[in-house]
Amino acid sequence: MPLDNSFASLPPAFYTRLMPTPLPAPYLVAVSPSAAQLLKLSPDQVADSLDILVGNAVPEQGQPLAAVYSGHQFGVWAGQLGDGRAILLGAAATDNGPLELQWKGAGQTPYSRMGDGRAVLRSSIREFLCSEAMHGLGIPTSRALSIAGSNQGVMRETVETAAVVVRMAPSFVRFGSFEHWYYRKQNEQLKVLADYVIDHFYPDLRASDNPYQGLLAEVTRRTAHMVAQWQSVGFMHGVMNTDNMSILGLTIDYGPFGFMEAFDADHICNHTDQQGRYSYANQPQVGHWNCYALAQALLPLIGEPEDAQAALDVYQPAFAARLDELLHAKLGLTRLDAHADADRALFDAMFAVMQANGVDFTLFFRRLGGLKAADASGDEPLRDLFIDRPAFDAWAGQYRQRLQAEHSVDADRQLAMNQINPKYVLRNYLAQVAIDKAQQQDYSEVAKLLAILQHPYDEQPEHDQYAALPPDWASHLEVSCSS
């Protein structure tokens, strides 16, 4: 498989060339057949390259490097960061353009900031599964090709074992990559990076009057759409720092993520986030804030603050329109101007009654498709999720009236709703079960979950238990920045 590394064509100040640190006695945990197919490889062909998957060997065309960047973390300027445990191997040609392959957990780099440069099996399984689950949901994301492990000890809260994920994306350039040069007042390097991103990923912008303003506007739009998609499936990233925001509008850097279970708009999935900056309800606002941080970094190239603001003004309408579109689809409704205000009130009332009852997010929307427009005979599976059933009945009555107003056909509506309301998401407890088994050298649950989550909208009746309410013990699970 030939490799290229366009990022390596940038000046040396943008990265450090280095080799990964070998891991003793590596073993394969899992390969994503879907991700392998992008590279025109079979899972067996990927598995046969185990030494490459952990960084014990580097293909002849590989040009390993760690990139430098900076960023705001939890809203505070953190200064220089960089690839502290990630090493870029190079890019492989695919039918959809080059895909960069990156080791995560392949050892120390100059940007490790006293870290060990390693990832552990626990966090690697979570990243591997969620990357592929998000792709299955149709949400822009980096991909995960493989996980390989080693019994080498790694110290976190306790001693864990090491693992390496090979992840893939067209680019791993971040908002913080631009902030790095802006805050160092190195505008020449800032321009070099912006030109690189435009030429490789947004070439159409070259024809615009102000390509850098166009870059900001397009990244802002993509970010708004991505966050709207997160909200629509109850996904919480957990660490929306500017160094974790993709310049391509991809979901990257899976750490303390979570999928909403008992609905609480203020839910914080990251135990480290004591102030709740990255709660579910705050994600849209933080996405906008991060775009402002990018705008600040690009301002020397854009020129006038008014031009940067015009690009940022894309965010709110893009987010609102995309979320409105998604909510209509999730409820099986046609968007009609005559119903716009009433529909917003219907959505608000829905979330209010979900919040008051702590209703499971995924089960609510999946079961909603079973309601009948003419009568309440199909309500029980959904109604049973509510403690205050009269409150649900009141909302369901409003919803049913809306369905009748557009002469909705039950069977057609349910079919369409099942294509946007997933039956299966990566609940924390499902990931934990797979992790517990993997730590006993049983990787079958990782493979099983991967297969289920790659088709989250299909019924898969043989796997119904994976779509059930979480067990009581799941409420005690916590994930943090070490996850």
Side-chain angles (χ1 to χ4, degrees):
M1 181 178 62
L3 294 175
D4 185 23
N5 195 336
S6 64
F7 197 82
S9 68
L10 294 172
F14 284 83
Y15 54 81
T16 299
R17 294 183 185 271
L18 76 169
M19 299 297 284
T21 305
L23 271 176
Y27 55 83
L28 186 69
V29 176
V31 173
S32 166
S34 171
Q37 190 174 26
L38 295 173
L39 305 177
K40 293 185 167 57
L41 297 173
S42 70
D44 287 343
Q45 287 174 308
V46 175
D48 288 343
S49 303
L50 179 58
D51 279 341
I52 293 175
L53 299 182
V54 294
N56 288 0
V58 177
E60 286 184 16
Q61 309 97 327
Q63 301 179 60
L65 60 83
V68 66
Y69 50 80
S70 297
H72 284 85
Q73 298 192 325
F74 292 91
V76 177
W77 177 242
Q80 179 175 302
L81 302 166
D83 287 332
R85 56 178 175 172
I87 298 175
L88 180 64
L89 170 60
T94 76
D95 291 342
N96 296 314
L99 268 183
E100 293 184 348
L101 279 70
Q102 188 184 68
W103 291 292
K104 183 172 181 179
Q108 283 187 319
T109 78
Y111 316 113
S112 296
R113 297 193 303 166
M114 297 185 295
D116 57 28
R118 290 299 185 191
V120 298
L121 183 63
R122 166 179 53 93
S123 62
S124 298
I125 288 173
R126 286 174 55 82
E127 173 146 8
F128 175 82
L129 287 175
C130 201
S131 299
E132 295 304 281
M134 292 290 271
H135 173 70
L137 290 166
I139 296 174
T141 180
S142 56
R143 301 295 302 274
L145 177 65
S146 63
I147 318 174
S150 165
N151 288 331
Q152 182 178 81
V154 177
M155 189 66 198
R156 293 296 182 260
E157 283 88 350
T158 60
V159 177
E160 302 187 47
T161 58
V164 177
V165 175
V166 176
R167 54 187 188 178
M168 308 189 300
S171 175
F172 288 95
V173 173
R174 304 138 188 281
F175 289 17
S177 304
F178 291 90
E179 290 184 291
H180 180 75
W181 302 113
Y182 170 76
Y183 283 97
R184 288 170 171 253
K185 304 188 188 318
Q186 293 179 266
N187 292 346
E188 182 179 340
Q189 287 87 342
L190 182 68
K191 185 177 185 301
V192 167
L193 181 61
D195 287 340
Y196 166 81
V197 168
I198 290 170
D199 291 342
H200 284 81
F201 308 108
Y202 299 102
D204 291 348
L205 294 178
R206 279 290 168 216
S208 65
D209 292 338
N210 188 334
Y212 307 111
Q213 180 193 34
L215 174 62
L216 176 60
E218 181 59 17
V219 175
T220 297
R221 183 190 67 81
R222 290 192 185 195
T223 302
H225 284 181
M226 176 188 70
V227 177
Q229 288 181 270
W230 290 358
Q231 301 299 104
S232 76
V233 296
F235 174 76
M236 295 159 285
H237 184 279
V239 198
M240 290 177 67
N241 297 332
T242 58
D243 57 293
N244 293 337
M245 298 296 292
S246 162
I247 204 70
L248 301 182
L250 305 174
T251 314
I252 59 171
D253 293 338
Y254 293 92
F257 65 81
F259 282 87
M260 185 73 74
E261 293 180 336
F263 183 71
D264 175 7
D266 295 323
H267 181 70
I268 306 161
C269 72
N270 180 359
H271 186 63
T272 309
D273 184 11
Q274 298 292 331
Q275 304 304 312
R277 176 179 177 83
Y278 298 139
S279 69
Y280 172 80
N282 283 347
Q283 286 187 147
Q285 175 186 343
V286 171
H288 198 190
W289 190 95
N290 287 342
C291 289
Y292 265 92
L294 177 62
Q296 185 67 53
L298 287 172
L299 190 57
L301 305 182
I302 293 172
E304 298 299 326
E306 295 80 4
D307 293 335
Q309 184 61 54
L312 285 170
D313 287 345
V314 167
Y315 188 93
Q316 294 288 14
F319 173 82
R322 184 71 175 121
L323 185 60
D324 184 68
E325 176 187 4
L326 290 166
L327 287 176
H328 276 87
K330 288 178 77 66
L331 272 69
L333 299 174
T334 304
R335 297 171 77 191
L336 301 169
D337 289 342
H339 290 280
D341 291 341
D343 285 353
R344 278 191 289 273
L346 181 70
F347 300 154
D348 289 345
M350 173 186 70
F351 284 118
V353 73
M354 289 173 67
Q355 173 99 19
N357 287 266
V359 172
D360 187 88
F361 189 97
T362 302
L363 283 175
F364 173 84
F365 284 106
R366 186 69 177 193
R367 292 184 183 181
L368 187 61
L371 267 67
K372 294 182 170 62
D375 60 71
S377 60
D379 287 5
E380 288 309 314
L382 180 56
R383 192 173 187 262
D384 287 347
L385 296 175
F386 288 79
I387 298 170
D388 185 350
R389 292 177 183 177
F392 165 75
D393 293 339
W395 180 82
Q398 298 171 34
Y399 175 52
R400 192 167 280 114
Q401 288 178 357
R402 177 64 177 82
L403 294 175
Q404 293 168 358
E406 63 176 67
H407 309 290
S408 184
V409 177
D410 290 341
D412 293 346
R413 183 181 68 256
Q414 183 170 20
L415 187 63
M417 290 172 69
N418 283 354
Q419 298 307 306
I420 193 167
N421 292 321
K423 181 175 179 178
Y424 303 96
V425 295
L426 183 58
R427 297 173 182 270
N428 270 341
Y429 89 91
L430 294 176
Q432 190 60 49
V433 169
I435 289 165
D436 290 344
K437 289 187 175 182
Q439 289 173 335
Q440 301 302 315
Q441 289 78 52
D442 177 358
Y443 312 120
S444 61
E445 194 67 15
V446 175
K448 187 174 185 179
L449 262 184
L450 174 66
I452 293 169
L453 294 168
Q454 287 184 327
H455 304 281
Y457 301 104
D458 294 353
E459 277 296 328
Q460 305 184 62
E462 70 277 19
H463 299 312
D464 277 348
Q465 70 271 27
Y466 289 84
L469 284 168
D472 289 343
W473 62 264
S475 64
H476 303 297
L477 288 174
E478 291 181 345
V479 290
S480 67
C481 287
S482 71
S483 302

